[in-house]
Amino acid sequence: MAASFPDPVSIPALTRARRLAGWAALLAAILLPLGIVALLTLSAEPRAREAARAGFVGSASCGSCHAREYGDWRSSDHARAMAAATPANVLGDFSGVTVHDGRHNASFRREGDRYIIRTDGPGGTVADFTITETFGVDPLQQYLVLFPDGRRQALPWAWDSRPREQGGQRWYHLMADDPLPASDPLHWTGREQTWNFMCASCHSTGLVRGYDQTTDRYDTSWTEISVGCESCHGPGAAHLAWAQAGADKGNPHRGLSVWFRDASGGAWRFAKDDPRGIAQWDGPPRQATAAQVESCAPCHSRSRPLVADPLPGQRFLDTHAPMLLQQGEYHADGQIQGEVFEWGSFAQSRMQRAGVVCADCHDPHRGTLRAEGNAVCAQCHLPARFDVAEHHRHPPGSAGAQCVSCHMPAVTYMGVDRRRDHAFSIPRPDVASQIGAPDVCTSCHTDRPQSWAASQIVEWFGPRRRDDPHPALAIAAGRHGDAGADRLLAAVATNRAHAPILRATAISLLPMPPSQASAQAIGATLLDPEPLVRAAALRTLDGLHPRNRLHAARFLADETRLVRIEAARALAPVPLEALPEAARTAFTQAWAELLTSERVVAERPEAHVNIAALLAARGDMASAEAAYRDALARDPTHLDALVNFADFEARRGQREAAEAILRRAVAAHPREAEAHYALALTIAQQGRVADALGPIGQASALRPEEPRYAYVQGIALNQLRRTEDAVAVLRANLERHPRHRDSLFALATIERDRANIAEAERLAAAAAALNPADREAATLLAQLRALRGRLPARQQ
């Protein structure tokens, strides 16, 4: 029962923590180094890459019949999401100014109608770069540079377009605190800043990304450079033909693939004598509720594309896999933290579950609110009930009396872009203090503690809250691996009153291998009516033995693509002949969908790492090896690719090859603990434990917040009979992480072997208490208690 080394590490692609900054936080884009450009001066003339796409006719075609909507749209941020770099569109000062911020330098000038920035480019060499497009307009404008391989790269210098009195009308660097050498993926010529993948599909209409995997080049095109009518309504050719043919009223959707108009006759109305003062939908169900939210979701969420260049009108979960409430991106109570946009928070809200849609608050053509201040909320929340001091507890008309101050906390991104949370949550400073999250009360009352805010709310509204027990406590417990987290998470996951995204997040945090509570929750949620919940439940099956995954076969023909591909992923290691005969064709189809979904982003090394893991699970080792090499061809230093390829080689018995790959990883990423950790495990697996001490010690020093590194360091020291050193490392680890089960168990066995039975029993009891279903810890504890019972009284 002595603790031993774990298997070699494998970092799941697309999940390893990375530095993300500025607008690049949407999703890390990876590409090959650009190399040296001739003379290091790009002078490509600005050129649009507009191309026809079947069914698209352009927004101008809509204006003749929809003049008001067209006029509203022309003044919107959507219409100015991207534009050619012309005098009419460029807002920044290109009068020859030079800007220094202490770390970065740039100068901006104009030559005729060409706009030029001089700054450090590929390889760090300072050169001139011609701006080809503007990107956005308010509260900042960014600029793109077209490279010869078709990549458009976003410059790190942005123009603050706010009025001067608000601090605007200036150049500023989006990542001013980071030195950003040219080798850094976040450098503007690097992997995180490629417009074609990171931004293009949501800033232009009818986009075809046009990536050629063979040449590693882009030929990206659009039907309209900005976000036009057809970005939301779908291709307009059939609708235009309908209108030109006489506008037959018998055509229910009038040739449009996306129909937003609601003909139910219903409306949001206040019920007579309803003391709540909240409007309810009065009438038949709204006909376009799902279409509205799902049309906005792809561009207002953090998500991964499942299909290439999807057309409007497809269901969100058929085209994208959204990020759940991931740690570092959302606080445990669901508040926005990273740059996650709006859908993920709105999907948590009671309003979304009540049938509220984006256009209830936002004019879809102007992109502005339908009313200013509290008036937009008063559409559904009676002012006599809510816009009064008895409710908001602030002086009328003050900032604190604004609904958004308490129910839509804001986070500033990109230095100047203040965006509000769309969960419309009720302030819970008592919960925030328990999970280490901010709260709206003390964000304004900065001189007061959260305990003060919590007591004020109790004084005003009483001690009972309708959302107790608050699900944030379960999410926080799951993130921290607390004892009993499985039961708390299971309760959230199976409670259909909670939002699907919250329930799916709870499922994703269930500990593996599953406890009885976890297993029951997974079984129940596999049959859930919400596809996002079903998909999350299927993903948990990755932690089970292949023979225990066969029930995923029933979801291979699910109506939702995301569910089908998660079923195929779960069944990857299951031989085809082990599936029910009736499910084999469905598996083949879903497996093809899964691989296609990964190949959608073939420019990214992570895609090839994912494909390699899937092919290896199917036993296709030659193709898996080729996929790993494809990943490294796109980025020879990509950490996920190196670590996973090394793990692949080690599992094939090629431990020397694995070690060589990991030494490449360490050389390329000397500050990444994962690389040192993986190298240490691979060396130890070869029986060279003493040689493993250096890299595991380095990993532990680089990331003391990760307890498994110090745990493995302690195991290595103990195996080398450096028991006192091992005990010291493990005790220090437990001081930082008192609930780390493996460290408790390892130290218990060491103390047992040193005849410190009482201390060993204490440690084993602490390990067993973390999870009552932990049989190994329970067995050790029972053995120690029996051993203590046989000792003389003075030794007990």
Side-chain angles (χ1 to χ4, degrees):
M1 294 183 63
S4 60
F5 276 99
D7 287 335
V9 67
S10 178
I11 303 174
L14 300 179
T15 62
R16 186 176 61 84
R18 294 181 178 85
R19 293 176 301 140
L20 296 175
W23 62 269
L26 173 61
L27 191 61
I30 313 296
L31 57 114
L32 280 172
L34 293 171
I36 302 298
V37 180
L39 301 180
L40 293 170
T41 301
L42 297 183
S43 57
E45 291 297 325
R47 64 180 180 91
R49 182 62 178 90
E50 192 167 297
R53 187 175 179 185
F56 285 84
V57 294
S59 296
S61 300
C62 308
S64 58
C65 292
H66 303 282
R68 180 178 63 81
E69 291 85 354
Y70 182 69
D72 288 345
W73 167 78
R74 282 179 62 90
S75 65
S76 72
D77 286 352
H78 277 165
R80 298 178 292 173
M82 183 169 163
T86 65
N89 298 323
V90 173
L91 301 179
D93 180 0
F94 283 84
S95 64
V97 298
T98 297
V99 182
H100 308 277
D101 69 358
R103 291 182 182 270
H104 314 95
N105 306 300
S107 61
F108 305 85
R109 74 180 191 273
R110 179 175 171 180
E111 295 180 358
D113 285 347
R114 290 177 59 216
Y115 293 86
I116 299 169
I117 180 174
R118 185 169 181 80
T119 191
D120 60 306
T125 302
V126 174
D128 290 343
F129 299 93
T130 297
I131 308 294
T132 50
E133 289 89 17
T134 65
F135 204 61
V137 65
D138 179 44
L140 70 153
Q141 186 174 73
Q142 291 180 266
Y143 300 93
L144 303 179
V145 171
L146 174 63
F147 280 78
D149 60 2
R151 285 177 167 81
R152 283 176 167 83
Q153 299 292 131
L155 285 157
W157 292 96
W159 178 253
D160 183 344
S161 57
R162 298 175 300 164
R164 193 177 304 278
E165 57 269 22
Q166 296 180 17
Q169 301 303 297
R170 64 186 175 96
W171 290 106
Y172 73 102
H173 198 284
L174 289 168
M175 289 162 277
D177 294 333
D178 197 323
L180 292 178
S183 58
D184 193 307
L186 285 169
H187 187 269
W188 75 274
T189 61
R191 58 182 66 167
E192 308 286 1
Q193 309 288 7
T194 301
W195 164 89
N196 310 68
F197 177 79
M198 297 286 293
C199 324
S201 62
C202 287
H203 281 257
S204 299
T205 304
L207 190 106
V208 176
R209 208 163 76 248
Y211 176 70
D212 186 327
Q213 183 174 338
T214 304
T215 62
D216 191 37
R217 296 174 63 89
Y218 285 97
D219 185 20
T220 303
S221 66
W222 53 75
T223 61
E224 194 166 352
I225 194 171
S226 65
V227 179
C229 306
E230 292 163 299
S231 286
C232 301
H233 294 279
H239 179 66
L240 187 63
W242 168 85
Q244 292 171 341
D248 176 18
K249 301 298 183 183
N251 185 331
H253 289 178
R254 304 175 185 181
L256 287 172
S257 58
V258 187
W259 184 251
F260 293 121
R261 184 168 296 175
D262 178 40
S264 69
W268 293 105
R269 296 188 177 94
F270 294 103
K272 187 178 181 180
D273 300 325
D274 184 350
R276 296 176 300 171
I278 299 176
Q280 306 294 314
W281 182 257
D282 182 20
R286 300 175 85 175
Q287 298 169 347
T289 299
Q292 282 209 28
V293 176
E294 296 210 345
S295 291
C296 302
C299 290
H300 290 269
S301 67
R302 283 279 294 278
S303 56
R304 177 175 65 87
L306 301 178
V307 297
D309 308 320
L311 291 170
Q314 297 176 269
R315 293 184 307 174
F316 182 42
L317 298 185
D318 282 337
T319 60
H320 291 79
M323 175 189 285
L324 301 181
L325 307 182
Q326 184 175 306
Q327 187 170 7
E329 306 297 344
Y330 293 88
H331 295 287
D333 59 359
Q335 287 187 73
I336 60 173
Q337 185 176 0
E339 192 173 10
V340 291
F341 308 101
E342 296 79 22
W343 179 85
S345 54
F346 182 64
Q348 301 174 55
S349 71
R350 289 191 179 96
M351 293 191 186
Q352 192 271 341
R353 300 199 293 285
V356 173
V357 298
C358 310
D360 286 326
C361 300
H362 301 271
D363 183 293
H365 300 106
R366 293 195 306 270
T368 57
L369 289 172
R370 290 195 176 276
E372 292 301 318
N374 288 353
V376 71
C377 305
Q379 296 177 109
C380 293
H381 296 264
L382 199 65
R385 167 72 175 81
F386 293 100
D387 199 3
V388 292
E390 289 78 10
H391 175 73
H392 54 63
R393 306 288 171 162
H394 289 82
S398 68
Q402 296 298 303
C403 305
V404 295
S405 295
C406 294
H407 299 291
M408 298 184 72
V411 178
T412 298
Y413 302 100
M414 305 175 74
V416 299
D417 192 2
R418 190 166 171 81
R419 305 179 200 166
R420 292 197 176 274
D421 192 299
H422 279 64
F424 308 103
S425 54
I426 296 171
R428 288 298 301 269
D430 57 327
V431 172
S433 66
Q434 295 179 66
I435 63 174
D439 73 275
V440 292
C441 303
T442 59
S443 294
C444 287
H445 299 276
T446 56
D447 59 333
R448 300 296 188 100
Q450 290 180 318
S451 58
W452 164 82
S455 65
Q456 285 293 119
I457 288 179
V458 170
E459 180 180 332
W460 292 335
F461 302 108
R464 297 179 63 84
R465 302 273 81 81
R466 64 182 179 182
D467 50 2
D468 282 337
H470 201 285
L473 302 179
I475 299 300
R479 289 178 175 181
H480 300 148
D482 292 345
D486 57 336
R487 296 188 299 276
L488 296 173
L489 292 166
V492 173
T494 55
N495 185 348
R496 294 184 180 179
H498 289 313
I501 191 171
L502 173 61
R503 299 173 58 215
T505 300
I507 295 166
S508 73
L509 292 170
L510 288 169
M512 289 288 146
S515 64
Q516 182 177 2
S518 296
Q520 290 175 345
I522 293 168
T525 53
L526 280 171
L527 303 175
D528 199 86
E530 292 289 344
L532 188 61
V533 174
R534 294 198 300 277
L538 284 164
R539 185 51 87 89
T540 67
L541 302 185
D542 285 352
L544 302 181
H545 190 279
R547 65 172 173 269
N548 295 326
R549 305 186 191 187
L550 292 175
H551 47 293
R554 67 180 296 175
F555 303 100
L556 291 167
D558 195 276
E559 64 178 3
T560 302
R561 179 180 278 111
L562 179 61
V563 176
R564 294 195 298 272
I565 67 174
E566 290 303 337
R569 192 189 310 276
L571 293 168
V574 178
L576 188 64
E577 58 272 16
L579 294 174
E581 187 171 354
R584 294 173 190 174
T585 298
F587 174 81
T588 301
Q589 294 170 345
W591 179 255
E593 282 189 302
L594 171 58
L595 292 181
T596 298
S597 75
E598 297 293 349
R599 290 173 179 138
V600 166
V601 291
E603 62 264 60
R604 297 172 61 94
E606 293 96 323
H608 298 279
V609 174
N610 288 342
I611 291 169
L614 291 168
L615 294 172
R618 296 301 293 167
D620 186 352
M621 297 304 175
S623 297
E625 180 179 351
Y628 280 123
R629 297 193 184 281
D630 282 342
L632 291 170
R634 278 151 185 78
D635 182 355
T637 67
H638 192 266
L639 182 57
D640 289 354
L642 289 167
V643 171
N644 282 282
F645 188 25
D647 179 48
F648 172 80
E649 292 286 46
R651 292 179 186 277
R652 293 201 299 174
Q654 304 297 319
R655 297 199 180 277
E656 290 183 0
E659 182 179 341
I661 293 168
L662 290 170
R663 291 197 181 278
R664 285 171 52 192
V666 167
H669 304 278
R671 302 297 301 170
E672 291 285 354
E674 292 96 333
H676 295 277
Y677 177 63
L679 177 60
L681 293 183
T682 297
I683 292 172
Q685 291 290 329
Q686 299 177 59
R688 294 156 45 212
V689 177
D691 293 340
L693 281 180
I696 191 56
Q698 186 71 11
S700 182
L702 286 169
R703 288 195 63 195
E705 71 275 14
E706 174 49 67
R708 77 178 185 273
Y709 298 157
Y711 159 71
V712 173
Q713 184 183 14
I715 296 300
L717 289 165
N718 191 54
Q719 288 189 7
L720 294 170
R721 301 186 184 280
R722 293 172 54 180
T723 306
E724 293 298 334
D725 292 337
V727 168
V729 167
L730 291 170
R731 289 200 180 279
N733 200 31
L734 287 170
E735 286 181 9
R736 293 188 297 268
H737 310 283
R739 304 179 66 83
H740 188 241
R741 182 267 184 200
D742 288 344
S743 293
L744 286 166
F745 188 90
L747 192 53
T749 61
I750 292 173
E751 295 293 8
R752 176 202 61 191
D753 295 343
R754 296 206 302 173
N756 295 328
I757 304 303
E759 176 63 4
E761 183 181 347
R762 183 189 70 80
L763 293 162
L770 294 175
N771 181 6
D774 187 340
R775 294 182 180 180
E776 190 177 26
T779 299
L780 176 61
L781 179 60
Q783 290 177 350
L784 289 167
R785 285 174 174 169
L787 183 59
R788 180 169 55 84
R790 294 196 296 270
L791 293 175
R794 65 179 180 276
Q795 296 182 19
Q796 292 185 15

